[in-house]
Amino acid sequence: MDAVNPATDEQLDSYEEHTEGEVDDALDRASDAFEEWRERPMRDRERLLSAAADTLRENKREYAETITREMGKPIDQAVAEVEKCAQGCDHYAEHASTYLSADHHPSPPGTTAKTVYEPLGPVLAVMPWNFPFWQVFRFAAPSLAAGNVGLLKHASNVPGCALAIESVFRDAGFPEGAFQSLLISSDRVDDILADDRVRAATVTGSGPAGSAVAATAGEHLKKTVLELGGSDPFVVLDDADVADAAETGAWARNKNGGQSCIAAKRFVVHTDVYDEFRRRFTDEVESFAVGDPMADDTDLGSQAKPDLLSDLHDQVTASVEAGATLVTGGEPLDREGAFYPPTILTDVPEGCPVDSEETFGPVAAVYEVADEASAVELANDTEFGLGASVWTADRDRGERVARRIDAGCVYVNQLVKSDPRVPFGGVGDSGYGRELAGDGIREFVNRKTVWVE
Ligand SMILES: O=CCCC(=O)O
């Protein structure tokens, strides 16, 4: 497995894939660790999660540099990502016991009936490169707190991140085998999932990756959580604060190089504020500093891989050929590395790639709509249903519109973001199940009913 810096095309390191024997040993260690870990009092598990948060904070620059070198995001965004992982660990260190305390049910006099939450066992996490630390901690913090153990199959372009995450848990004092990274290619996931020692799986990634894992897991009757793609609408109504919407929208699309499932991708703008929004939004994205991701003042680093840049550019050119108007950007930068500028398309024809597919990079499709009803209709005109953002001066109207949008979360006057305190996940082609908050920690548990006469 080669780690290549996408900003410089330089090879960073080469890693040997784990052999079948090594994977088998890892699964044995995971099973053994689970038997011990599940018996640990919750306060021990919470204490170790706090220690993981400390380890993350103490070494945040080092981890952030590994992230930036392997996938090209700006260093300040990588530092923020590591800090968010620490917050996620802190959150479960503080709240896991409350989230998993037994629920009591009405029962006949003289009996008690309750639900207790018990861990399932080793959980396989198939994770992507776009937030190579956060996506993993979003699964690992609640799962470990619940008493499960983790096996990570990370994206093959971020092996250094995978190993660094394993070392976070080791250095924090977690028992051997509680969290392990498997350096393997995707075609070996099925066999691992079929193994009796693995009890469940979670996938963050593309639709095809999610449905392949879910099919195998289904065959072996194992629980899955899928967090897949999105084509999030960003709806600007006629009474919105347009300056704020344009500034936040520019970040909502371009943060993390635009490589986020919850990035705003389709900007649905009321005709009364369309011209002003388009002008301000264009000014905002054109002001972004694109360049060396290691530099502190960079807003947009490189895309994570050259092949993904070419896929993105194909989506843009095919959409322009179909009739979309290119307002800004639209050509890869003429320099070493995989750099693509913030790009805006208007007059987007129905069914062209930027309209109907997920764009995983800094490409915004901007639409003009006549009224609120058309805005909702267009927002819902997608197979995805991850997040959405609605902009209006009227909070009640915002909430009313939010409730008509088919998505796992809708943010009013804010960009879509995950936060350990609230559940996160999608509907439709964006997957199922929830991560984070109480819902997240209760995904990989046996909700056991205990009735005592
Ligand atoms: O890529 C999607 C999710 C990113 C996040 O949790 O902030």
Side-chain angles (χ1 to χ4, degrees):
M1 272 179 188
D2 294 332
V4 176
N5 185 334
T8 61
D9 305 325
E10 166 209 1
Q11 173 149 345
L12 298 165
D13 237 320
S14 194
Y15 301 81
E16 287 300 318
E17 270 200 40
H18 287 147
T19 62
E20 279 184 29
E22 285 168 332
V23 170
D24 194 52
D25 290 346
L27 297 191
D28 271 346
R29 276 194 298 276
S31 293
D32 293 346
F34 173 60
E35 294 309 326
E36 192 245 323
W37 184 241
R38 68 181 302 175
E39 297 302 334
R40 289 265 190 123
M42 178 59 98
R43 63 178 176 283
D44 268 20
R45 302 206 288 257
E46 291 173 340
R47 182 180 52 76
L48 285 171
L49 276 170
S50 285
D54 293 342
T55 305
L56 285 159
R57 288 197 187 95
E58 279 155 22
N59 303 293
K60 67 181 174 191
R61 182 77 198 185
E62 179 191 329
Y63 298 141
E65 285 179 4
T66 303
I67 293 174
T68 294
R69 271 199 302 271
E70 288 194 335
M71 56 70 69
K73 80 172 63 178
I75 188 73
D76 64 333
Q77 296 178 30
V79 169
E81 178 176 340
V82 178
E83 286 168 347
K84 186 167 174 175
C85 296
Q87 285 157 16
C89 290
D90 282 342
H91 180 80
Y92 285 101
E94 190 181 343
H95 298 288
S97 44
T98 310
Y99 288 148
L100 294 184
S101 60
D103 289 332
H104 288 264
H105 307 294
S107 55
T111 67
T112 58
K114 59 184 174 182
T115 302
V116 296
Y117 298 94
E118 296 181 352
L120 294 183
V123 182
L124 176 66
V126 179
M127 290 290 139
W129 48 262
N130 63 337
F131 291 90
F133 265 58
W134 169 240
Q135 307 274 26
V136 177
F137 279 88
R138 195 170 67 193
F139 143 75
S143 291
L144 291 167
N148 297 303
V149 300
L151 291 159
L152 170 65
K153 187 277 179 255
H154 218 326
S156 53
N157 57 328
V158 289
C161 290
L163 295 176
I165 293 168
E166 185 180 83
S167 77
V168 170
F169 291 110
R170 197 175 41 242
D171 296 351
F174 279 74
E176 192 197 2
F179 186 92
Q180 301 176 82
S181 290
L182 306 175
L183 297 184
I184 53 164
S185 51
S186 304
D187 56 6
R188 294 173 64 193
V189 165
D190 274 358
D191 285 348
I192 294 172
L193 203 45
D195 193 292
D196 282 345
R197 289 166 290 184
V198 173
R199 302 312 312 151
T202 180
V203 180
T204 298
S206 68
S211 73
V213 168
T216 307
E219 194 183 326
H220 298 278
L221 302 175
K222 292 178 186 175
K223 169 82 188 269
T224 48
V225 168
L226 305 182
E227 199 272 272
L228 309 175
S231 185
D232 286 7
F234 187 99
V235 177
V236 185
L237 296 173
D238 48 326
D239 59 349
D241 177 337
V242 179
D244 192 9
E247 187 183 347
T248 309
W251 277 108
R253 174 62 281 199
N254 293 293
K255 194 168 163 236
N256 212 48
Q259 303 161 121
S260 173
C261 50
I262 48 168
K265 290 165 189 151
R266 296 174 300 126
F267 292 78
V268 179
V269 186
H270 194 286
T271 188
D272 289 358
V273 291
Y274 178 79
D275 287 339
E276 183 189 352
F277 178 83
R278 188 187 48 186
R279 179 175 50 75
R280 287 182 181 274
F281 184 55
T282 306
D283 289 348
E284 291 289 344
V285 306
E286 288 181 343
S287 74
F288 284 146
V290 186
D292 178 7
M294 282 294 178
D296 286 334
D297 56 356
T298 293
D299 297 315
L300 218 81
S302 74
Q303 301 297 285
K305 295 200 277 181
D307 59 321
L308 297 176
L309 179 143
S310 343
D311 291 348
L312 181 71
H313 188 50
D314 287 350
Q315 289 175 305
V316 170
T317 45
S319 300
V320 171
E321 275 161 24
T325 303
L326 183 64
V327 177
T328 187
E331 278 300 328
L333 298 193
D334 185 16
R335 52 162 290 172
E336 70 175 3
F339 288 86
Y340 206 81
T343 294
I344 297 177
L345 296 167
T346 56
D347 311 311
V348 176
E350 194 180 340
C352 75
V354 302
D355 175 61
S356 60
E357 299 170 6
E358 177 173 33
T359 47
F360 219 62
V363 174
V366 183
Y367 302 79
E368 181 174 3
V369 288
D371 51 31
E372 184 186 301
S374 325
V376 170
E377 193 182 339
L378 187 51
N380 285 336
D381 188 18
T382 171
E383 304 299 316
F384 294 108
L386 194 53
S389 183
V390 175
W391 290 75
T392 168
D394 177 344
R395 291 163 63 100
D396 293 337
R397 182 185 190 194
E399 191 167 339
R400 185 164 42 78
V401 171
R403 293 177 75 109
R404 291 170 58 208
I405 293 181
D406 303 327
C409 60
V410 183
Y411 283 70
V412 178
N413 297 326
Q414 182 54 277
L415 51 75
V416 179
K417 51 187 175 181
S418 60
D419 180 311
R421 295 167 294 191
V422 291
F424 180 79
V427 294
D429 285 3
S430 294
Y432 53 75
R434 290 291 176 269
E435 298 193 274
L436 299 175
D439 295 43
I441 198 170
R442 289 183 180 188
E443 286 285 5
F444 294 118
V445 288
N446 173 13
R447 300 161 186 234
K448 184 191 278 181
T449 299
V450 179
W451 174 294
V452 181
E453 288 280 349

